[in-house]
Amino acid sequence: MLGVLAQADDAIDDCAATSLWALPDDELLASLDATHAVAQRLAAVQLGLVRELDARGLAVARGASSTAVWLRERLRLSGRSARQLVQLAATVDAAPTAVREAMLTGAVTVEQGRVVAETVATLPAEAGPEVAEKATQLLIGWADRFDPAILRRLGERVLTHVAPDLADQAELAALERATERAEARRHVTLSEQQDGQVRLSGSLDTETASLLREAIDPLSAPTGEHDDRSPGQRRADALGEICRLALRTGHLPDSGGDRPQLVVTVSLDALVNGVRAGTLETGAQLTPGAVRRLACDAAVLPAVLGGNSQVLDVGRQRRLFTGPLRRALVLRDGGCAFPGCDRPSRWCDGHHVRHWADGGATALGNAVLLCGHHHRLIHQGDWTVRISADGQPDFLPPRWLDPDRTPRRNLYHRRC
């Protein structure tokens, strides 16, 4: 075998010495197809070698803890690539002989061979070897037309072609197994980052994921012509709005004997002058702008400290838009009052036109309903909101958008 491989190595040298720029278009394309076919066939030969040395235990006999570890060192592979190589070799070896033969002849690529082998391995035991052989031949035939991703999807329904009487039962059993795996592996992780971010990662089962999509999708649409957030940013903001709504309802279980509520600790001077960050109970910090924005509504409880950390105020009720005052605010604005926004009132915070830390009253004449996105926008300072003489909120756009700053209103929620 070494002599044959040496000849192949010489042939590769000849190919490498070819002036590719001189090749006609047809020969260039044909050469690409040929190199790919040869590379795939050689990869199939390598899988056979890996499986044989693994079966003989040669790696362990030479002091390695496993074949994958030995391959990583000998072939200078990453640990992941070495493990995948050993696993694929075992998968192909356990598949019907036709799978490896198809890989060696170039009828299927290595990736396609993996798909065929894994698909056949998942067939129910009651299907028997005859059905497995039919499925193998059908998938190998499809490989001439379909890439591995499509081939895998077709493989999920292969029984409907070779054993229709078993298809429905097998499909249901496969779905139940997949559901059990998803439920067992479900998790959500919040990881603190060093750049002021928190990484959200996890895995959800299909049912929970569908609930999350249904909740997020209506809130992920652009809020108007000036909404330049990316789709990912809109989904992140939608998740925040859902959490604010859950906190606002008061129906969450108690946490340590208290109603769940976000607590931000900040000095009175920092809150009034906006010069220092606020601190969450987790120790994470928020910018002064974020503190002032969050302090507008009952979803957040500010703990305001004076000198020597003396507690001056822990959520004064007069600063919150609750009870009859919030109902009056909802009746007046109907929803987010920002021009063009269609967010309903349940997704909105009450915002002080003149901030309560600056002496602004918690009253209807100093209040406006804003959704999470437009609440942040107003606190950024480009847009200005005021209550006009008729008691309705007017929004003044920034000068870069409208040099005259013509007041605008939201007519979406107005009753005819």
Side-chain angles (χ1 to χ4, degrees), residues 198-264:
V198 176
R199 177 178 292 276
L200 172 64
S201 62
S203 178
L204 302 178
D205 59 86
T206 302
E207 179 182 353
T208 304
S210 65
L211 293 173
L212 181 61
R213 286 194 186 97
E214 288 299 316
I216 283 182
D217 283 353
L219 296 169
S220 298
T223 57
E225 59 179 330
H226 305 297
D227 189 350
D228 59 356
R229 296 173 296 167
S230 69
Q233 289 172 330
R234 294 200 303 270
R235 286 191 292 270
D237 293 344
L239 183 60
E241 291 192 39
I242 291 171
C243 293
R244 290 187 187 92
L245 176 63
L247 288 171
R248 191 178 297 126
T249 61
H251 297 316
L252 294 176
D254 286 351
S255 177
D258 294 324
R259 182 168 66 89
Q261 196 152 33
L262 187 63
V263 178
V264 181

Side-chain angles (χ1 to χ4, degrees), residues 299-361:
V300 176
L301 196 65
V304 183
L305 307 179
N308 300 320
S309 298
Q310 179 185 5
V311 178
L312 300 180
D313 175 29
V314 182
R316 292 173 295 170
Q317 288 301 309
R318 63 178 177 272
R319 73 170 180 85
L320 304 178
F321 296 107
T322 57
L325 179 56
R326 181 174 174 86
R327 287 194 290 272
L329 191 55
V330 169
L331 285 173
R332 188 195 71 189
D333 294 346
C336 179
F338 193 90
C341 186
D342 62 355
R343 293 288 191 259
S345 58
R346 65 180 180 275
W347 298 111
C348 297
D349 298 330
H351 168 75
H352 290 79
V353 175
R354 184 186 182 194
H355 200 276
W356 70 282
D358 299 330

Side-chain angles (χ1 to χ4, degrees), residues 122-414:
T122 60
L123 294 177
E126 57 269 25
E130 184 177 348
V131 171
E133 183 62 29
K134 288 182 179 180
T136 300
Q137 294 300 331
L138 184 60
L139 289 168
I140 290 174
W142 283 342
D144 187 46
R145 290 174 288 161
F146 303 111
D147 64 43
I150 297 178
L151 191 63
R152 186 177 295 279
R153 290 201 296 270
L154 292 173
E156 294 172 356
R157 303 285 296 172
V158 71
L159 279 180
T160 60
H161 298 275
V162 297
D165 53 322
L166 297 175
D168 291 341
Q169 180 181 354
E171 185 176 351
L172 180 59
L175 178 60
E176 290 176 346
R177 289 194 300 271
T179 301
E180 290 175 358
R181 286 196 301 270
E183 290 180 348
R185 297 172 182 174
R186 71 190 187 279
H187 72 281
V188 172
T189 302
L190 295 174
S191 306
E192 297 285 345
Q193 306 293 299
Q194 297 298 320
D195 54 359
Q197 298 184 84
V198 176
R199 177 178 292 276
L200 172 64
S201 62
S203 178
L204 302 178
D205 59 86
T206 302
E207 179 182 353
T208 304
S210 65
L211 293 173
L212 181 61
R213 286 194 186 97
E214 288 299 316
I216 283 182
D217 283 353
L219 296 169
S220 298
T223 57
E225 59 179 330
H226 305 297
D227 189 350
D228 59 356
R229 296 173 296 167
S230 69
Q233 289 172 330
R234 294 200 303 270
R235 286 191 292 270
D237 293 344
L239 183 60
E241 291 192 39
I242 291 171
C243 293
R244 290 187 187 92
L245 176 63
L247 288 171
R248 191 178 297 126
T249 61
H251 297 316
L252 294 176
D254 286 351
S255 177
D258 294 324
R259 182 168 66 89
Q261 196 152 33
L262 187 63
V263 178
V264 181
T265 302
V266 62
S267 70
L268 180 61
D269 177 69
L271 184 62
V272 172
N273 299 317
V275 295
R276 294 176 60 187
T279 305
L280 298 173
E281 289 180 297
T282 61
Q285 291 192 313
L286 295 173
T287 65
V291 172
R292 289 172 68 88
R293 182 178 70 250
L294 292 173
C296 282
D297 198 71
V300 176
L301 196 65
V304 183
L305 307 179
N308 300 320
S309 298
Q310 179 185 5
V311 178
L312 300 180
D313 175 29
V314 182
R316 292 173 295 170
Q317 288 301 309
R318 63 178 177 272
R319 73 170 180 85
L320 304 178
F321 296 107
T322 57
L325 179 56
R326 181 174 174 86
R327 287 194 290 272
L329 191 55
V330 169
L331 285 173
R332 188 195 71 189
D333 294 346
C336 179
F338 193 90
C341 186
D342 62 355
R343 293 288 191 259
S345 58
R346 65 180 180 275
W347 298 111
C348 297
D349 298 330
H351 168 75
H352 290 79
V353 175
R354 184 186 182 194
H355 200 276
W356 70 282
D358 299 330
T362 302
L364 188 62
N366 189 46
V368 64
L369 278 182
L370 294 173
C371 69
H373 170 64
H374 288 122
H375 200 172
R376 286 187 293 274
L377 186 65
I378 290 297
H379 273 277
Q380 288 171 3
D382 287 345
W383 285 77
T384 303
V385 59
R386 69 186 184 190
I387 304 300
S388 64
D390 64 356
Q392 298 295 326
D394 282 336
F395 290 80
L396 282 66
R399 293 195 183 280
W400 59 262
L401 181 63
D402 179 2
D404 297 329
R405 305 201 74 190
T406 305
R408 304 184 185 187
R409 290 186 177 182
N410 189 347
L411 304 179
Y412 184 88
H413 306 287
R414 293 294 175 87

